[in-house]
Amino acid sequence: MSFSWPWALLALLVIPLVFAIWWLTRLRKRRAAVRVTSIALVRTALPGRSRWRRRIPAALLTLGLAVLAVGAARPQATVPVASSSATMMLALDVSGSMCSTDVRPNRITAAEQAATAFIKSQTGGPRIGLVVFAGTAVVLVPPTADTKQLLSALGGLTTSFGTAIGEGIATSLDAIAQVDPSVAPTGATVSRARGVGYADDVIVVLTDGSNNRGIDPQAAAKEAAARGVRVFTIGYGTDNPAPLACSSDQFGGFGGGGGGGGGGTFGGFGGGRGGVGNPFDADFSALTQISRTTGGTFYRAQDAVQLSRALARLPAAFTIVRKHIDIASWFAAGGGLLIAAAVGLSLWWNRTRQVATR
């Protein structure tokens, strides 16, 4: 719990002041007490009131004042809230390594099928956009609720060379900024207060290789984190080498004369950011760090079944966001009820005593 006006907590000093006034009042009453010859006569005339009856109203009054003082500081609680305007960008790796047949029939086909099933299951839910990246990143479909448009784009994926994970994240951020004014585009100066919660938008990166093109993925992740956009990453494929096989529709050419045999710059070989990283193995540590930086989650998917499961877990993570809500009204209501209860009990018990005396 945090406070918008923490200085208002100084109102808690009223409580010891009230106790001081009460003590002084009681002291004066003792000095002005009437002397009688027999205490027994007084006890007989006035029905006794147990000690807890005297202390309960005072305790309720004290607690009520304390609750009101805390409420004056405008407390805020972080609670899970269902998002009605969530946007999700699917950033899919279409590098040449997606032709690997370690996932049947090959990685790109299995990814298309899993993504298709996921999009169909989200009909009527969040807006979904589609970004593909290889040597660079392109927005195939801006965030939309049109399922048919998304499925049509998924059916026409073609492979290329390179693996630009950072470009995929940055391009997804810019696509989100087009539909959500609260998210600034990349390159803009961002000033985001601490503890304001996450945005309603997320990015899901599915890749089977290591970054070797474009901007550093960690730099892109920091851009996303500064905007409150979480990035969920999926490391796709097995560790077992397998032949490459893509259909004529999926084969987009890999440059440098690379054909089906995987020569040249096939799948990102021989170029990019330092030319490091195995283009056929996802960089799990880098993907995990991206997710940690942005508040997302990393998933491992070695086959089509695990990929479908990873995608199925996503809605619960991004349609329920944690937001700060002002709960000062709750404290005001609680404090008022406590004080009312203290006054009511005090008046009732004093009334009973007066009637008995008469």
Side-chain angles (χ1 to χ4, degrees):
M1 184 171 64
S2 58
F3 298 96
S4 298
W5 301 341
W7 50 266
L9 291 174
L10 292 173
L12 290 171
L13 297 176
V14 172
I15 295 175
L17 179 61
V18 170
F19 271 102
I21 294 174
W22 170 79
W23 183 79
L24 289 174
T25 303
R26 189 176 180 183
L27 185 62
R28 288 183 179 180
K29 285 183 178 180
R30 286 180 178 178
R31 291 176 179 176
V34 177
R35 294 183 180 182
V36 296
T37 58
S38 176
I39 297 297
L41 293 175
V42 177
R43 289 178 178 175
T44 303
L46 297 177
R49 186 168 54 159
S50 60
R51 182 174 296 179
W52 64 268
R53 276 196 174 189
R54 296 195 304 268
R55 293 182 176 178
I56 283 181
L60 290 176
L61 177 62
T62 302
L63 184 59
L65 292 174
V67 171
L68 287 178
V70 175
R74 300 294 299 273
Q76 292 185 334
T78 303
V79 298
V81 178
S83 172
S84 59
S85 58
T87 299
M88 173 182 180
M89 293 300 301
L90 278 174
L92 304 179
D93 187 344
V94 291
S95 60
S97 56
M98 290 290 283
C99 289
S100 176
T101 55
D102 59 340
V103 179
R104 299 294 178 183
N106 59 18
R107 291 179 181 178
I108 191 169
T109 301
E112 288 177 359
Q113 294 171 350
T116 296
F118 173 74
I119 290 173
K120 288 181 178 179
S121 69
Q122 299 302 304
T123 301
R127 296 173 297 187
I128 299 178
L130 187 61
V131 168
V132 294
F133 62 90
T136 186
V138 178
V139 178
L140 284 188
V141 182
T144 180
D146 189 341
T147 301
K148 291 183 178 179
Q149 184 181 4
L150 291 166
L151 298 182
S152 176
L154 273 176
L157 298 183
T158 57
T159 56
S160 185
F161 63 92
T163 305
I165 298 174
E167 294 284 349
I169 296 173
T171 301
S172 298
L173 272 177
D174 287 332
I176 290 173
Q178 292 293 322
V179 297
D180 188 350
S182 67
V183 176
T186 56
T189 301
V190 179
S191 177
R192 187 177 180 84
R194 288 185 177 181
V196 297
Y198 296 115
D200 293 343
D201 316 297
V202 300
I203 299 171
V204 179
V205 176
L206 187 154
T207 181
D208 68 338
S210 303
N211 188 82
N212 51 32
R213 292 287 191 280
I215 64 176
D216 183 3
Q218 294 303 324
K222 291 178 181 179
E223 289 274 342
R227 292 158 176 78
V229 176
R230 290 167 292 169
V231 180
F232 295 83
T233 55
I234 301 176
Y236 184 42
T238 70
D239 299 326
N240 302 319
L244 305 176
C246 271
S247 67
S248 58
D249 293 334
Q250 295 171 333
F251 181 78
F254 308 109
T265 56
F266 187 90
F269 279 119
R273 194 176 183 82
V276 298
N278 188 338
F280 291 94
D281 291 335
D283 189 344
F284 302 141
S285 61
L287 295 177
T288 301
Q289 185 59 40
I290 290 172
S291 295
R292 287 178 179 174
T293 300
T294 61
T297 306
F298 166 74
Y299 299 99
R300 179 77 167 95
Q302 299 189 66
D303 54 35
V305 174
Q306 291 182 4
L307 178 57
S308 297
R309 289 176 181 172
L311 290 172
R313 294 174 186 169
L314 291 171
F318 75 85
T319 58
I320 302 297
V321 298
R322 303 190 69 83
K323 294 203 171 187
H324 291 270
I325 61 172
D326 194 312
I327 56 175
S329 58
W330 298 1
F331 279 81
L337 288 174
L338 288 170
I339 293 176
V343 173
L345 288 175
S346 180
L347 291 176
W348 175 257
W349 286 332
N350 284 334
R351 171 184 173 278
T352 303
R353 189 173 180 177
Q354 291 171 2
V355 170
T357 302
R358 290 175 183 174

